[in-house]
Amino acid sequence: MTEFERDLVKSFNSYFEKNGVRAIAYRRKQHRFSSQFVDILVDSIKPDYYIAIENKSISTAKGAKKLYFSQHFSKNQVERIDTFLNKSGRNGYLAVELKQGRGKPRQAFMIPWNVIIKRYHEDESGLGVKEIKRFMEIERNGEKYKVGSFFNEDL
């Protein structure tokens, strides 16, 4: 599990606990010879909280200008995630963390999965950093993400 995944899981569960929401965020353990559909699952009887999140990190400090489907996703990963979302009924998101180098804060953005799959089917190569920054930012408080903004609420 990456640090970004761990931070988001903790942030979601902290949000749920503080706000009395019956939901849980978790990451299924990945075994060597089995694939996982997405990085983070959130289970709840409330549809707004029944979500799946794929996480990607790119380093703008090292010159990344784009999140590429061919480079940052494994072969057929976009299709597998889309199939999982359609079969499970979950709301899907791509969380992208931008690592901006030493001394600069990381930023993370949530992109609805329907945007990702549309771009993918249009044979686009990916999403540029400027485009990623147009989506909803997951606020950061020191070293922790605040997911309340994801649900249009303050923590």
Side-chain angles (χ1 to χ4, degrees):
M1 182 182 322
T2 68
E3 182 181 351
F4 181 41
E5 291 169 11
R6 192 175 5 265
D7 289 347
L8 277 184
V9 167
K10 285 180 186 177
S11 295
F12 274 101
N13 286 327
S14 175
Y15 171 83
F16 296 145
E17 186 176 324
K18 287 179 183 176
N19 290 282
V21 175
R22 290 183 54 199
I24 185 167
Y26 59 97
R27 183 177 189 282
R28 293 184 52 157
K29 185 173 179 162
Q30 186 173 358
H31 299 284
R32 185 174 179 183
F33 297 107
S34 65
S35 62
Q36 80 182 38
F37 293 108
V38 293
D39 294 318
I40 298 172
L41 295 171
V42 179
D43 286 338
S44 178
I45 60 171
K46 294 185 176 192
D48 288 349
Y49 300 110
Y50 191 59
I51 59 178
I53 304 167
E54 178 63 25
N55 294 45
K56 299 294 179 188
S57 293
I58 59 175
S59 176
T60 59
K62 293 181 180 177
K65 303 257 187 267
K66 198 168 192 173
L67 175 79
Y68 291 99
F69 292 127
S70 62
Q71 179 181 347
H72 297 101
F73 289 85
S74 63
K75 186 176 181 176
N76 300 320
Q77 185 180 17
V78 173
E79 292 100 338
R80 285 193 317 269
I81 292 170
D82 197 54
T83 299
F84 172 75
L85 294 173
N86 287 324
K87 287 184 176 184
S88 70
R90 291 178 190 269
N91 296 311
Y93 295 90
L94 175 66
V96 180
E97 181 181 53
L98 303 177
K99 296 178 181 179
Q100 302 178 97
R102 194 173 290 253
K104 296 180 182 174
R106 295 177 181 188
Q107 289 182 289
F109 299 87
M110 291 291 257
I111 304 169
W113 190 257
N114 62 346
V115 172
I116 301 302
I117 199 67
K118 181 177 186 271
R119 294 293 298 272
Y120 183 79
H121 286 303
E122 291 173 347
D123 290 328
E124 295 288 335
S125 59
L127 288 97
V129 170
K130 287 181 181 179
E131 185 177 6
I132 291 168
K133 288 183 174 185
R134 290 186 202 131
F135 289 94
M136 196 212 63
E137 183 173 3
I138 305 168
E139 294 178 41
R140 197 168 165 92
N141 183 3
E143 293 296 312
K144 296 181 180 181
Y145 286 105
K146 289 176 45 178
V147 297
S149 60
F150 176 70
F151 299 112
N152 296 318
E153 302 170 17
D154 290 325
L155 271 177

